[in-house]
Amino acid sequence: MTLHALLFDVDGTLADTERDGHRPAFNQAFADAGLDWRWDAELYGKLLAVTGGKERMKYYIDHFRPDYSKPDNFDELVAELHQAKTRHYAALAARGGIPMRPGVKRLLAEARDAGLRLAIATTTTPENVTVLLEHSLGSGTQDWFEVIAAGDIVPAKKPAPDIYHYALEKMGLNAADCLALEDSENGLHASRGAGLKTLITVNDYTLDHDFSGAAVVLSDLGEPDAPNRLLAGPDLGRPYVDVAYLRALHAN
Ligand code: XBP
Ligand code: MG
């Protein structure tokens, strides 16, 4: 079995986008609309149980705001708030305000050099991905990814496997030929649901998630001068994730 491709999640995996990216963008959209909805970092951790910004807003109202009476055009309001939120997020990302996580840029460049095919499978909105890549990974880097599968392109978001099925189908690859890189339990359910071996790098919001079924759980991808920590899974004897590590993990 040869490793042919890597499928990357975005939020929490390529960059820590949630607490200081998506969250303030939601809050700005709420404030612009004169709503008293305000998501602090702790509440946002609970809201991350639901993927997708529109879905998250509805979950918030249903579970945390019994006092709010929904207008008849609630779905429309949510869609408008989400568009405003996307504009705020894009502006923040365009200022280069959201750095890539350790090892991400190095690994992507090495994978390209090694001839591995690259794709993205995320629940976030496509514009958010392209602006993040352009400004935090580098100009033109969206072309590194042969497929950017994102947002409402599939009817069911993660933890459903649909976005991974979509990306695999577009690439004409079997799950067995690929590895997925994820940061969350919802992401792992999605990738495993599509039959993909999955490498997890945790972040503050996902440290306590249940990662059973992951091929390995790491603190981050690591760098030659900043080794990562192995949290669960096989010790492949390498202090950071490179292409040789990924091939060994895939064959394991
Ligand atoms: C990402 C998400 C998204 C983003 C916001 O999950 O849950 O909802 O928080 O995205 P994953 P939008 O990393 O598992 O893909 O507001 O653009 O929907
Ligand atoms: Mg994620």
Side-chain angles (χ1 to χ4, degrees):
M1 219 170 26
T2 312
L3 178 63
H4 287 299
L6 305 176
L7 282 71
F8 284 83
D9 169 50
V10 175
D11 296 304
T13 300
L14 293 186
D16 272 321
T17 51
E18 294 290 6
R19 194 188 57 200
D20 301 324
H22 290 294
R23 186 183 66 88
F26 280 111
N27 283 329
Q28 281 169 35
F30 302 153
D32 293 349
L35 292 163
D36 70 345
W37 309 357
R38 168 100 187 77
W39 294 356
D40 65 26
E42 196 195 334
L43 170 62
Y44 195 69
K46 295 181 186 147
L47 299 176
L48 283 173
V50 172
T51 64
K54 295 187 286 289
E55 294 81 354
R56 187 167 299 141
M57 284 188 257
K58 291 180 180 171
Y59 176 78
Y60 166 68
I61 292 303
D62 290 342
H63 292 83
F64 295 86
R65 294 303 298 261
D67 58 308
Y68 178 77
S69 55
K70 292 183 196 171
D72 288 343
N73 65 344
F74 182 62
D75 281 0
E76 237 168 77
L77 170 67
V78 164
E80 279 165 20
L81 287 168
H82 192 247
Q83 280 167 15
K85 177 259 168 180
T86 300
R87 287 194 293 275
H88 285 300
Y89 179 90
L92 182 82
R95 292 197 293 274
I98 312 177
M100 291 285 123
R101 293 192 63 189
V104 166
K105 186 163 190 176
R106 171 188 54 75
L107 182 63
L108 285 168
E110 286 173 13
R112 266 168 62 76
D113 288 348
L116 291 178
R117 295 165 65 185
L118 302 174
I120 278 177
T122 176
T123 66
T124 202
T125 310
E127 298 93 288
N128 294 348
V129 181
T130 44
V131 74
L132 179 76
L133 295 177
E134 188 66 17
H135 294 275
S136 298
L137 189 59
S139 180
T141 54
Q142 53 180 288
D143 298 341
W144 292 9
F145 299 90
E146 141 178 12
V147 175
I148 296 184
D152 295 320
I153 200 163
V154 288
K157 293 187 174 156
K158 299 175 189 177
D162 304 26
I163 198 76
Y164 279 105
H165 283 310
Y166 177 92
L168 288 170
E169 197 191 313
K170 285 267 163 204
M171 296 174 99
L173 284 171
N174 294 318
D177 301 327
C178 309
L179 275 178
L181 289 91
E182 275 284 357
D183 71 301
S184 72
E185 194 173 332
N186 278 327
L188 176 65
H189 275 283
S191 58
R192 293 295 296 145
L196 288 152
K197 273 195 181 176
T198 306
L199 178 156
I200 300 286
T201 52
V202 299
N203 58 61
D204 286 353
Y205 275 133
T206 67
L207 266 178
D208 299 334
H209 285 193
D210 178 359
F211 290 121
S212 351
V216 72
V217 184
L218 302 168
S219 57
D220 52 79
L221 295 175
E223 291 284 19
D225 59 354
N228 60 14
R229 278 174 300 115
L230 173 66
L231 303 178
D235 187 352
L236 300 180
R238 303 180 91 88
Y240 61 94
V241 175
D242 56 8
V243 170
Y245 177 98
L246 294 177
R247 291 198 201 283
L249 185 71
H250 182 250
N252 190 44

